[in-house]
Amino acid sequence: MNPQRFHRIFSVLLLALPSAAQAQNELNKPYEFQIVVHVARNRLLTDVFRERIERELHDGFQTGLGDMGRVKVTHEHPRLADVLDRGLARSLDSWNERSDVKTHFVLIDFSGVHYEIQTRQYDGATGRPSPVVRRDRTRDRDFVAKAAALLLKQDFGILGTVTTAPDGAQQKVKVELRGGGLGDLSRWVKKDDVFALAPPSGGSTLALKWSLLQVEEPPAEDSRDGVCVCRFFHRYRVTSIAGYRCIKLGTVQTALRMRWMQETKDRRLKLLEPTLTMQIRRHGFQGEDATLLQKSTGQGGVVTTTESGEKGVFANVAFVSVIGGMREPLPQVPIALVDDQPILIEVDATQDANILFTGNKAAWQSDVAESRLVQINLFKRLAALGADVEKRAEVIQEAERALKRSKKDRASLMEQRTRLLDDAKKSKIKLDTAREDKRLAEIEEGERELANFITEQKKIEATENDPQRKKWLSEIGQAKLLEKDLEYGKALAIYEKIQKDGFQDAELDKHLKEVRQLWKPPADAEHKEARNFIYGVWPKLDTAGLEENLPTARKAFERCQKAGDVISVRKLLKGIEGHADRLTKEFSELRPEINIDDEQPAKRIKKVSEALGNLLKEVQAYLRKSQPAGP
């Protein structure tokens, strides 16, 4: 799900590529709309006031959606603390979760004069937040719920699936809209409305960064077919968008303000050196000789149409074509106007096409890293559920879904790898995929282990009649999953408890002996402290915590190395790799070259990443010399 991020969220276990059949199924699928209301602490903002806001929002949207949606309003949500800590912009930009729920946050405060309202939505189906944080304020206490409702409606985001490939000179496509069979969508989707595209599972978002659909033929009034016809506009070449999901944007009418920045090879931005000349149109990249505007970048790459009066005002979309100032290919950029704020556009002043390769490479590398993390988290969840015999059917079902999606998404990542290598060869660019190849191999191995787990669980369910024995076998499965996460101490405790309770099995006796050999008691108090740090503290640290605790991590590594504790060192390595991926993602979201507030966080991440990288090399070198550990 934010065009400024090159670190994309991987979609293993999430939504697979929707087919036309799936789109048809969504015609009669209602929206799950969750509104999370947070009212700041203030003696005037009472619980009664909050409850009134919640009630009015629920009743208003449920009436408006009718059979098309189910509305839930609450003041509690697992993401709310992060939203309040980091703000709606950064928190929702970094939200990775996929689900079938639209979650819209409403934050209300009182300045002493005005009631101040902020809203933003995260759409779980597409994995993306609405483009901007909406804000409004009012002096009228009775108007707060109405003001909030207007902001929410602007970014509700009707969903659709593209069912045809772009056709003809106008690149028309058909879009089937979710809920179209449940209600009249003609009042929700109008001519010239704009949809943003979301890629299929595992796909790169950079090619879609400056791509959009504009409604040419809206759904017919009182129709229940839920179909509209759109024109497809794009900056970068996209082979096909059939099967892609899309979400309606809350666009506005406004003057255009742009800032063009030059993008370097490592995807950082700097001031634009050449002066670019461009044409700006309202309805596409051709024609409109009487109404088009011609502009050139001024100081700092800034272009504005405000001084052109009514001629400089655009509705929903502006179509910008660079006609001079850089080598070909000259970019054509469709810009969805979601507010009146300046729009940042990156350009490679030497070769615009290279931006796409660089971004696709970064997105693919990020997706591979994230896929491994998602798989690790899956095994943790299965381990937590596995001990409960009553949840075996749920565990098997979740594992089967995960395995199917993992295989499909890994295949997609392998296809992307092939395309990247081909593009690199054509462009004579060196592309090292060794790290990603290792992770893809680990994902494939995880799939084999997942398949074995499913087989074992089904066997237990089919052949075991003794409830106690079923429970023991479930706990053994849970312990094996814990071993996979290098949690040998927890696994050992489960095995020993099972034996103590009376489970007799020669295979378990043999395995238990192997685990005890691998997971010996701490040699001394320092070794115990090192283990506790690696398992209990190290994985949970944020960036500031990493900076503070890197010396402790090194000390723990040295103590475990001295004790020959390979398992704990491997666990330390997993934590290092997870932190490295997180830091890369955090750094990609910062723009210190244009945002002074990002300068210090960027410096801290660089400093911590360098120290973490040094520790990583030392740990890897030690493990290469050590014998492979594990039963």
Side-chain angles (χ1 to χ4, degrees), residues 475-504:
E475 289 172 342
I476 289 172
Q478 177 194 19
K480 288 182 177 179
L481 291 177
L482 288 168
E483 285 183 48
K484 179 172 177 56
D485 194 33
L486 301 176
E487 294 283 354
Y488 281 85
K490 293 179 181 178
L492 184 61
I494 291 174
Y495 293 139
E496 290 176 341
K497 180 181 181 299
I498 291 171
Q499 272 197 337
K500 184 179 178 182
D501 290 346
F503 183 77
Q504 300 296 322

Short mmCIF file of all heavy atoms in Angstrom, two decimals, residues 475-504:
data_model
loop_
_atom_site.label_atom_id
_atom_site.label_comp_id
_atom_site.label_asym_id
_atom_site.label_seq_id
_atom_site.Cartn_x
_atom_site.Cartn_y
_atom_site.Cartn_z
N GLU A 475 0.26 -30.90 20.84
CA GLU A 475 1.32 -30.18 21.54
C GLU A 475 2.69 -30.49 20.92
O GLU A 475 3.56 -29.61 20.86
CB GLU A 475 1.30 -30.54 23.02
CG GLU A 475 0.10 -29.95 23.75
CD GLU A 475 -0.05 -30.45 25.17
OE1 GLU A 475 0.55 -31.50 25.50
OE2 GLU A 475 -0.75 -29.79 25.97
N ILE A 476 2.88 -31.72 20.44
CA ILE A 476 4.13 -32.05 19.75
C ILE A 476 4.25 -31.22 18.47
O ILE A 476 5.32 -30.68 18.16
CB ILE A 476 4.19 -33.56 19.43
CG1 ILE A 476 4.39 -34.35 20.72
CG2 ILE A 476 5.32 -33.86 18.44
CD1 ILE A 476 4.28 -35.85 20.55
N GLY A 477 3.16 -31.09 17.73
CA GLY A 477 3.17 -30.24 16.54
C GLY A 477 3.49 -28.79 16.87
O GLY A 477 4.24 -28.12 16.16
N GLN A 478 2.92 -28.31 17.98
CA GLN A 478 3.21 -26.95 18.43
C GLN A 478 4.69 -26.80 18.75
O GLN A 478 5.33 -25.80 18.36
CB GLN A 478 2.38 -26.63 19.67
CG GLN A 478 2.65 -25.26 20.26
CD GLN A 478 2.09 -25.11 21.67
OE1 GLN A 478 1.81 -26.11 22.34
NE2 GLN A 478 1.91 -23.88 22.11
N ALA A 479 5.27 -27.78 19.44
CA ALA A 479 6.69 -27.71 19.82
C ALA A 479 7.60 -27.71 18.60
O ALA A 479 8.61 -27.00 18.56
CB ALA A 479 7.02 -28.89 20.73
N LYS A 480 7.24 -28.48 17.58
CA LYS A 480 8.07 -28.50 16.36
C LYS A 480 8.05 -27.16 15.65
O LYS A 480 9.05 -26.72 15.08
CB LYS A 480 7.59 -29.63 15.44
CG LYS A 480 7.96 -31.01 15.96
CD LYS A 480 7.52 -32.11 14.99
CE LYS A 480 7.97 -33.48 15.50
NZ LYS A 480 7.54 -34.58 14.61
N LEU A 481 6.90 -26.50 15.68
CA LEU A 481 6.84 -25.15 15.10
C LEU A 481 7.70 -24.18 15.90
O LEU A 481 8.33 -23.28 15.33
CB LEU A 481 5.39 -24.66 15.04
CG LEU A 481 4.47 -25.38 14.05
CD1 LEU A 481 3.05 -24.84 14.17
CD2 LEU A 481 4.97 -25.21 12.62
N LEU A 482 7.71 -24.33 17.22
CA LEU A 482 8.57 -23.49 18.05
C LEU A 482 10.04 -23.72 17.74
O LEU A 482 10.84 -22.79 17.71
CB LEU A 482 8.28 -23.75 19.53
CG LEU A 482 6.94 -23.21 20.05
CD1 LEU A 482 6.64 -23.79 21.43
CD2 LEU A 482 6.96 -21.69 20.11
N GLU A 483 10.41 -24.96 17.47
CA GLU A 483 11.79 -25.25 17.09
C GLU A 483 12.16 -24.50 15.81
O GLU A 483 13.28 -24.01 15.67
CB GLU A 483 11.98 -26.75 16.86
CG GLU A 483 12.03 -27.58 18.14
CD GLU A 483 12.29 -29.05 17.82
OE1 GLU A 483 13.22 -29.33 17.04
OE2 GLU A 483 11.56 -29.91 18.36
N LYS A 484 11.22 -24.46 14.88
CA LYS A 484 11.49 -23.76 13.62
C LYS A 484 11.83 -22.29 13.86
O LYS A 484 12.63 -21.71 13.14
CB LYS A 484 10.27 -23.87 12.69
CG LYS A 484 10.47 -23.13 11.37
CD LYS A 484 9.35 -23.41 10.42
CE LYS A 484 9.56 -22.59 9.14
NZ LYS A 484 10.87 -22.86 8.52
N ASP A 485 11.23 -21.72 14.89
CA ASP A 485 11.52 -20.33 15.25
C ASP A 485 12.69 -20.25 16.23
O ASP A 485 12.91 -19.21 16.85
CB ASP A 485 10.27 -19.68 15.86
CG ASP A 485 10.39 -18.18 15.94
OD1 ASP A 485 11.02 -17.58 15.04
OD2 ASP A 485 9.85 -17.60 16.90
N LEU A 486 13.42 -21.38 16.40
CA LEU A 486 14.60 -21.46 17.28
C LEU A 486 14.23 -21.27 18.75
O LEU A 486 15.10 -20.94 19.56
CB LEU A 486 15.67 -20.44 16.86
CG LEU A 486 16.18 -20.59 15.43
CD1 LEU A 486 17.16 -19.45 15.09
CD2 LEU A 486 16.84 -21.94 15.20
N GLU A 487 12.96 -21.49 19.08
CA GLU A 487 12.52 -21.39 20.47
C GLU A 487 12.64 -22.78 21.12
O GLU A 487 11.67 -23.39 21.56
CB GLU A 487 11.07 -20.89 20.52
CG GLU A 487 10.89 -19.47 20.04
CD GLU A 487 11.35 -18.43 21.07
OE1 GLU A 487 11.69 -18.83 22.19
OE2 GLU A 487 11.37 -17.23 20.73
N TYR A 488 13.88 -23.25 21.21
CA TYR A 488 14.12 -24.60 21.71
C TYR A 488 13.78 -24.74 23.19
O TYR A 488 13.37 -25.81 23.63
CB TYR A 488 15.59 -24.99 21.46
CG TYR A 488 15.85 -25.42 20.04
CD1 TYR A 488 16.13 -24.47 19.05
CD2 TYR A 488 15.80 -26.75 19.68
CE1 TYR A 488 16.36 -24.86 17.75
CE2 TYR A 488 16.03 -27.15 18.37
CZ TYR A 488 16.31 -26.20 17.41
OH TYR A 488 16.53 -26.60 16.11
N GLY A 489 13.96 -23.68 23.94
CA GLY A 489 13.63 -23.75 25.36
C GLY A 489 12.15 -24.01 25.58
O GLY A 489 11.77 -24.87 26.39
N LYS A 490 11.30 -23.31 24.83
CA LYS A 490 9.85 -23.51 24.95
C LYS A 490 9.44 -24.89 24.45
O LYS A 490 8.58 -25.56 25.03
CB LYS A 490 9.11 -22.41 24.18
CG LYS A 490 9.28 -21.02 24.76
CD LYS A 490 8.54 -19.99 23.93
CE LYS A 490 8.73 -18.58 24.50
NZ LYS A 490 8.04 -17.56 23.68
N ALA A 491 10.07 -25.32 23.33
CA ALA A 491 9.76 -26.64 22.78
C ALA A 491 10.14 -27.74 23.77
O ALA A 491 9.38 -28.69 24.00
CB ALA A 491 10.48 -26.84 21.45
N LEU A 492 11.31 -27.60 24.38
CA LEU A 492 11.79 -28.58 25.35
C LEU A 492 10.83 -28.71 26.52
O LEU A 492 10.52 -29.81 26.99
CB LEU A 492 13.18 -28.18 25.83
CG LEU A 492 13.89 -29.15 26.77
CD1 LEU A 492 14.11 -30.49 26.11
CD2 LEU A 492 15.23 -28.55 27.22
N ALA A 493 10.33 -27.58 26.99
CA ALA A 493 9.39 -27.59 28.12
C ALA A 493 8.12 -28.36 27.76
O ALA A 493 7.55 -29.10 28.58
CB ALA A 493 9.05 -26.16 28.52
N ILE A 494 7.65 -28.22 26.51
CA ILE A 494 6.44 -28.93 26.08
C ILE A 494 6.71 -30.43 26.02
O ILE A 494 5.92 -31.24 26.51
CB ILE A 494 5.97 -28.40 24.71
CG1 ILE A 494 5.44 -26.96 24.86
CG2 ILE A 494 4.88 -29.30 24.13
CD1 ILE A 494 5.10 -26.29 23.55
N TYR A 495 7.84 -30.81 25.41
CA TYR A 495 8.17 -32.24 25.31
C TYR A 495 8.26 -32.88 26.69
O TYR A 495 7.75 -33.98 26.93
CB TYR A 495 9.49 -32.43 24.58
CG TYR A 495 9.47 -32.05 23.11
CD1 TYR A 495 10.54 -31.36 22.54
CD2 TYR A 495 8.40 -32.39 22.29
CE1 TYR A 495 10.54 -31.02 21.19
CE2 TYR A 495 8.38 -32.05 20.94
CZ TYR A 495 9.46 -31.36 20.40
OH TYR A 495 9.46 -31.03 19.07
N GLU A 496 8.93 -32.21 27.61
CA GLU A 496 9.12 -32.78 28.95
C GLU A 496 7.79 -32.90 29.69
O GLU A 496 7.56 -33.88 30.42
CB GLU A 496 10.12 -31.92 29.73
CG GLU A 496 11.54 -32.05 29.20
CD GLU A 496 12.53 -31.12 29.91
OE1 GLU A 496 12.06 -30.14 30.54
OE2 GLU A 496 13.75 -31.37 29.82
N LYS A 497 6.92 -31.93 29.49
CA LYS A 497 5.60 -31.98 30.14
C LYS A 497 4.79 -33.16 29.60
O LYS A 497 4.11 -33.88 30.35
CB LYS A 497 4.85 -30.67 29.92
CG LYS A 497 3.46 -30.64 30.56
CD LYS A 497 2.76 -29.33 30.30
CE LYS A 497 1.39 -29.29 30.96
NZ LYS A 497 0.49 -30.36 30.46
N ILE A 498 4.85 -33.37 28.27
CA ILE A 498 4.11 -34.48 27.67
C ILE A 498 4.59 -35.82 28.23
O ILE A 498 3.79 -36.70 28.56
CB ILE A 498 4.28 -34.44 26.13
CG1 ILE A 498 3.56 -33.23 25.55
CG2 ILE A 498 3.73 -35.72 25.49
CD1 ILE A 498 3.84 -33.00 24.08
N GLN A 499 5.91 -35.95 28.31
CA GLN A 499 6.46 -37.18 28.87
C GLN A 499 6.02 -37.39 30.32
O GLN A 499 5.63 -38.48 30.72
CB GLN A 499 7.99 -37.16 28.78
CG GLN A 499 8.54 -37.70 27.48
CD GLN A 499 10.02 -38.04 27.59
OE1 GLN A 499 10.73 -37.51 28.44
NE2 GLN A 499 10.48 -38.91 26.71
N LYS A 500 6.08 -36.32 31.08
CA LYS A 500 5.70 -36.39 32.49
C LYS A 500 4.23 -36.79 32.65
O LYS A 500 3.86 -37.51 33.59
CB LYS A 500 5.97 -35.05 33.17
CG LYS A 500 5.71 -35.05 34.66
CD LYS A 500 6.03 -33.69 35.26
CE LYS A 500 5.74 -33.66 36.76
NZ LYS A 500 6.02 -32.32 37.34
N ASP A 501 3.40 -36.33 31.70
CA ASP A 501 1.96 -36.63 31.77
C ASP A 501 1.63 -38.05 31.34
O ASP A 501 0.48 -38.48 31.45
CB ASP A 501 1.18 -35.64 30.91
CG ASP A 501 1.16 -34.24 31.50
OD1 ASP A 501 1.51 -34.11 32.68
OD2 ASP A 501 0.81 -33.29 30.77
N GLY A 502 2.65 -38.77 30.80
CA GLY A 502 2.42 -40.17 30.48
C GLY A 502 2.51 -40.57 29.03
O GLY A 502 2.25 -41.73 28.68
N PHE A 503 2.89 -39.67 28.15
CA PHE A 503 3.01 -40.01 26.73
C PHE A 503 4.26 -40.86 26.51
O PHE A 503 5.36 -40.45 26.86
CB PHE A 503 3.07 -38.74 25.88
CG PHE A 503 3.12 -39.01 24.40
CD1 PHE A 503 1.97 -39.37 23.71
CD2 PHE A 503 4.32 -38.91 23.70
CE1 PHE A 503 2.00 -39.61 22.34
CE2 PHE A 503 4.35 -39.15 22.34
CZ PHE A 503 3.20 -39.50 21.65
N GLN A 504 4.08 -42.04 25.91
CA GLN A 504 5.19 -42.96 25.66
C GLN A 504 5.40 -43.09 24.16
O GLN A 504 4.50 -43.50 23.43
CB GLN A 504 4.89 -44.34 26.27
CG GLN A 504 4.67 -44.33 27.77
CD GLN A 504 5.92 -43.90 28.53
OE1 GLN A 504 7.03 -44.25 28.15
NE2 GLN A 504 5.71 -43.13 29.60
#
